[in-house]
């Protein structure tokens, strides 16, 4: 088996800086964690918040702290720093090679989508943002690292795409359609979701928009190499 | 313009865990930093060292500390923790969108290769590993973010590939040949270097081997999205 992870993110239309932050960190006992944070509001202020939270979580995970504890600590930190007045939505998605699971810890109203083969479902238990309530705990979902497993996590730029024009994005339906092609790659799926969200917003993204896709696929490369690739436009 | 970054890494033949650690972090003022650390020896011990160093550097960079200061701090930390008895080779490669440069801070005997178009050179000023000498400073190279810029950074699995069989890897020559095709992608270049090193080691990598390639290429994607993709084999 092989793991494919893809992220695609754009900022709100006409805003230079995305308020979403995505960080990746190697887990000290094996595997990787992805931390996706959506800071309150947009632009520079939101970026500072999401950066602060992501940094805190990444530092804790790198020290071997468990995901749930890292999410709680990030909440306490944000709550303390801003006196409960600033919120952030936080997703921690970990590929844990020890337990052989994908663990999704979420403090966000954006329900992740998980699937085995073409059967998919949204994990839509209620979940609150961090930073504003006195007590908070993440919603944690653990799924086995099995062939054809798919995990899709996104920020509210996806969830609310098209709301302005009354043409709301049915992400679950969209992902189900895409997964009917078993060969769709994580990158293709992430790109397609981002493109569809942007299309529903008439090419002017209504909010910072980030998509993270993880897929377990049959092994392709002949070697045992790990590969990372990043692409982004510069002026 | 568009930035392409690619990493490919494998562990030493028959060793489960690579002693090299690669981490990526968003710079608080814009841009990205890549931290590549080669811990002394191989296997679990090397991994713990490289992880420790990478984690320290990443945390400092995320706090806005300058690369050179982060490298110095990582040295002091490693030197203090292990009483000057454990070394690590450290590369910090930053894409700084404020100064519009790529900054390479190096404490390694593996000379990075930088190129403008098809003209390339190795940055081979002497540079020592961190952790073992009382005083240490990184070798810092700053190059402008211009079209067709290429940066190749690697660990000694590449540098020493083929040494056992007397067929040493001329990395500069190899990269020059690959860059004669202006359309070669960062991923293709990184993969080709890794494959060639492995071939010279007769398919049994003599050491942990990591390659990081950065290229500035004409813009391809129609949107302004940032994209990240990760692939690795699992059991």
């Amino acid at each position: 088996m092989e793991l494919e992870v893809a992220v695609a993110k754009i900022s709100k239309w006409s805003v230079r800086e995305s308020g979403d932050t995505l960080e990746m960190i190697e887990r000290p006992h094996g595997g990787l964690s992805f931390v996706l944070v959506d800071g309150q509001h947009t632009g520079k202020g939101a970026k500072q918040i999401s950066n602060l939270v992501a940094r805190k979580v990444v530092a804790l995970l790198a020290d071997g702290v468990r995901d749930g504890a890292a999410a709680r600590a990030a909440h306490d930190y944000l709550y303390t720093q801003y006196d409960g007045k600033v919120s952030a939505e936080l997703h921690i998605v970990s590929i844990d090679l020890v337990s052989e699971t994908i663990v999704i810890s979420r403090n966000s109203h954006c329900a992740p989508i998980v699937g085995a083969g073409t059967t998919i479902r949204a994990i839509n238990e209620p979940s609150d943002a961090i930073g504003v309530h006195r007590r908070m705990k993440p919603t944690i979902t653990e799924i086995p690292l099995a062939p054809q497993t798919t995990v899709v996590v996104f920020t509210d730029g996806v969830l609310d795409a098209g709301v302005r024009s009354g043409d709301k994005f049915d992400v679950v339906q969209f992902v189900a359609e895409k997964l009917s092609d078993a060969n769709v790659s994580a990158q293709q799926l992430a790109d397609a979701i981002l493109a569809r969200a942007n299309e529903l917003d008439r090419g002017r993204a209504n909010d910072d928009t980030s998509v993270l896709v993880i897929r377990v696929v049959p092994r392709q490369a002949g070697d045992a190499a790990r590969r990372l690739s990043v692409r982004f436009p510069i002026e």
Side-chain angles (χ1 to χ4, degrees), chain A:
Chain A
M1 292 191 295
E2 188 170 83
L3 249 156
E4 283 183 353
V5 185
V7 178
K9 65 196 281 273
I10 53 168
S11 53
K12 180 177 174 170
W13 171 254
S14 86
V15 175
R16 202 179 145 272
E17 197 152 30
S18 171
D20 294 352
T21 294
L22 182 282
E23 295 286 1
M24 177 183 79
I25 190 96
E26 212 176 301
R27 296 175 71 79
H29 304 294
L32 289 173
S33 291
F34 294 84
V35 179
L36 177 58
V37 190
D38 180 356
Q40 190 179 333
H41 305 309
T42 53
K44 209 174 169 66
K47 183 67 192 176
Q48 277 171 344
I49 299 300
S50 64
N51 211 293
L52 189 82
V53 171
R55 214 161 74 201
K56 179 58 81 177
V57 173
V58 157
L60 291 166
L61 296 178
D63 279 343
V65 172
R66 278 163 296 169
D67 298 16
R72 284 170 158 88
H75 163 75
D76 294 343
Y77 181 64
L78 188 61
Y79 186 87
T80 305
Q81 284 284 318
Y82 291 93
D83 211 15
K85 294 190 177 76
V86 171
S87 73
E89 303 221 309
L90 167 65
H91 306 84
I92 307 174
V93 184
S94 294
I95 297 151
D96 189 329
L97 298 180
V98 179
S99 61
E100 297 188 350
T101 54
I102 299 175
V103 183
I104 309 169
S105 307
R106 170 175 64 106
N107 286 98
S108 164
H109 74 296
C110 299
I113 297 168
V114 302
T118 52
T119 314
I120 68 165
R121 67 187 169 98
I123 305 174
N124 47 18
E125 294 99 283
S127 172
D128 289 324
I130 63 169
V132 283
H133 303 292
R134 229 195 117 92
R135 292 195 165 275
M136 182 290 304
K137 60 177 187 173
T139 307
I140 296 181
T141 310
E142 196 166 359
I143 48 177
L145 263 182
Q148 303 301 329
T149 299
T150 303
V151 171
V152 181
V153 169
F154 44 84
T155 59
D156 55 7
V158 172
L159 190 73
D160 299 334
V163 162
R164 226 173 14 177
S165 59
D167 194 6
K168 203 166 164 351
F169 192 178
D170 186 341
V171 195
V172 175
Q173 175 61 29
F174 185 82
V175 171
E177 276 166 30
K178 288 287 161 193
L179 288 179
S180 64
D181 171 8
N183 295 319
V184 69
S185 71
Q187 191 70 65
Q188 285 167 336
L189 186 53
D191 285 352
I193 294 169
L194 190 77
R196 180 68 180 141
N198 204 28
E199 191 188 358
L200 290 170
D201 277 338
R202 310 283 183 266
R204 299 184 168 200
N206 202 22
D207 200 348
D208 303 322
T209 308
S210 307
V211 189
L212 164 68
V213 175
I214 298 177
R215 291 209 76 200
V216 183
V217 297
R219 199 148 148 187
Q220 287 167 14
D223 56 19
R226 290 185 167 206
R227 291 186 164 80
L228 164 79
S229 143
V230 179
R231 271 174 49 207
F232 64 91
I234 49 177
E235 298 313 309

